[in-house]
Amino acid sequence: MTTVKDPGKRLIPDRKDLLERNFSLDLVAARPMPDAVLMCPPEYFDVVDIKNVFMKDGLSKVDRDLAARQWQSLKEALENNGVPVKTLPAAAGLEDMVFAANQALVGISREGEPYIVPGIMRHTSRQNEVPHYIDWFRSKGYRVLSLPDDLTSNSKDKIYFEGHGDAIWHPEKLLLWGGYGHRTTYSAYNHLIDIIEVPILLLELTDSTFYHLDTAFCPLDHQTVLYYPGAFSKDGIELIETVFESTIAVSREDAFNFACNAIVSGNNVFLERGSVATCEALLDYGFNIVEVETSEFRKSGGSVFCMTLDIYKDQSSPGTK
Ligand code: ARG
């Protein structure tokens, strides 16, 4: 008799590997879905250097008042649609701290214990954001599981890991999609898999404009994904097309407008205003669209998804926000 096994912890680099191992989504363990998001206000937000192509045009051009209003509107759009938002205070001098998706991976163990894996940021200027996020999660009772990090090392083998900028959970499953190539290194996943013990589907990012996985890939539900094929290798496209029953491919124009940097809550998709073709496709698939404006944050290479971090709200200890 053949026994059907949970795929367990394993790095899955391509479709061949997937098929050889008879991978099926049905066999992957269920994941309780996060029920709140964490945001960090843009009090000190600015564009002071160039870490991605979007920042070239944004240098010193941020309207901080407008940024504050856009951030507040996003927060209210989420809250008005039933998504509780918690906030982490901004720290002076950390101009990118508003991008809450990058400093840690938030997960939950098979036993239902939430944890974080702190990021190891590629740019020195962003490394100081991470301790603020660690402290917040620690105070809320999350376990902190760390990747091996040697920040003083200059070796070519140094690991970088930019949290949910590059690592995105498959909806409802203990299955992770891991982007690498620009910010996060492939090697990060060799270590991550030993820590979080879930299968990881690897996606090489091949276009430096789409420097984080979250700029080009947005799972909408466990069988549908919104993605920009031009950001991926042939193997990556095959992997995505094999695992998801339905794929909605967005144009480069919409991808550049951060259409894939969306967040999903139930049937609602929150995304940057103006991606007409993508919105039509989402409506055809039965999703509701909630458009918001993030022009100031796009100057830094970020939009809706980058500014939010999925968390488990019930972990708060009494007396905290
Ligand atoms: N300026 C930030 C950086 O380059 C933007 C990060 C946007 N976040 C994201 N998840 N894509 O690091």
Side-chain angles (χ1 to χ4, degrees):
M1 192 179 98
T2 339
T3 44
V4 179
K5 286 207 214 99
D6 178 324
K9 72 171 203 189
R10 173 189 317 141
L11 292 180
I12 304 172
D14 54 30
R15 181 168 183 266
K16 187 165 160 276
D17 186 276
L18 199 72
L19 298 181
E20 268 170 18
R21 296 165 193 271
N22 294 324
F23 176 91
S24 152
L25 263 189
D26 295 341
L27 306 182
V28 180
R31 178 175 62 96
M33 291 294 274
D35 44 13
V37 302
L38 180 64
M39 292 179 71
C40 174
E43 227 170 304
Y44 306 100
F45 171 59
D46 208 347
V47 176
V48 296
D49 57 6
I50 300 173
K51 305 186 193 79
N52 61 62
V53 299
F54 300 92
M55 297 178 95
K56 282 188 199 151
D57 297 332
L59 214 49
S60 311
K61 288 200 189 126
V62 169
D63 176 339
R64 212 179 266 165
D65 290 339
L66 180 56
R69 290 199 298 279
Q70 291 179 340
W71 183 88
Q72 188 60 33
S73 300
L74 171 61
K75 183 170 177 283
E76 284 167 14
L78 290 165
E79 289 170 336
N80 293 340
N81 284 284
V83 183
V85 178
K86 304 204 175 211
T87 53
L88 161 71
L94 301 181
E95 74 283 351
D96 269 338
M97 194 171 163
V98 66
F99 298 113
N102 305 156
Q103 301 82 355
L105 171 94
V106 178
I108 192 154
S109 72
R110 280 164 203 255
E111 294 72 40
E113 285 177 2
Y115 62 79
I116 60 161
V117 179
I120 304 174
M121 309 305 283
R122 173 79 65 164
H123 297 94
T124 324
S125 62
R126 296 206 63 186
Q127 284 161 9
N128 294 334
E129 299 168 19
V130 180
H132 293 274
Y133 281 82
I134 296 179
D135 288 350
W136 191 88
F137 279 104
R138 212 174 244 141
S139 76
K140 300 286 183 275
Y142 284 62
R143 286 177 68 203
V144 178
L145 310 172
S146 297
L147 288 164
D149 179 16
D150 177 6
L151 286 173
T152 56
S153 154
N154 284 321
S155 120
K156 281 217 255 44
D157 304 328
K158 181 153 172 29
I159 293 172
Y160 292 104
F161 175 61
E162 297 213 346
H164 290 290
D166 280 319
I168 298 183
W169 288 108
H170 195 97
E172 295 165 37
K173 294 288 180 183
L174 281 174
L175 174 68
L176 193 70
W177 290 89
Y180 66 92
H182 304 305
R183 296 292 182 86
T184 298
T185 50
Y186 184 107
S187 56
Y189 296 108
N190 285 327
H191 296 278
L192 187 64
I193 199 149
D194 285 333
I195 298 174
I196 67 174
E197 305 201 316
V198 303
I200 303 179
L201 298 151
L202 294 166
L203 294 174
E204 183 178 8
L205 298 170
T206 56
D207 179 339
S208 60
T209 299
F210 302 97
Y211 63 97
H212 268 157
L213 180 60
D214 71 6
T215 62
F217 178 84
C218 176
L220 299 167
D221 59 33
H222 70 278
Q223 53 196 20
T224 317
V225 68
L226 186 69
Y227 88 117
Y228 170 55
F232 299 95
S233 65
K234 188 170 156 285
D235 280 348
I237 294 173
E238 271 183 9
L239 205 51
I240 293 169
E241 299 270 345
T242 307
V243 173
F244 288 96
E245 232 164 76
S246 307
T247 53
I248 307 176
V250 312
S251 64
R252 187 174 181 88
E253 190 192 349
D254 281 3
F256 201 76
N257 191 41
F258 287 87
C260 298
N261 200 252
I263 54 172
V264 187
S265 168
N267 218 28
N268 290 326
V269 181
F270 301 80
L271 81 170
E272 168 69 10
R273 193 176 297 284
S275 295
V276 178
T278 300
C279 287
E280 277 170 11
L282 289 169
L283 290 171
D284 279 352
Y285 273 81
F287 291 98
N288 297 321
I289 311 282
V290 184
E291 287 188 303
V292 293
E293 273 173 29
T294 61
S295 62
E296 297 318 290
F297 302 98
R298 285 192 284 127
K299 292 175 182 168
S300 188
S303 184
V304 176
F305 183 93
C306 306
M307 286 195 271
T308 57
L309 180 61
D310 280 345
I311 58 169
Y312 294 92
K313 76 167 182 289
D314 290 334
Q315 300 310 312
S316 323
S317 46
T320 52
K321 264 205 237 176

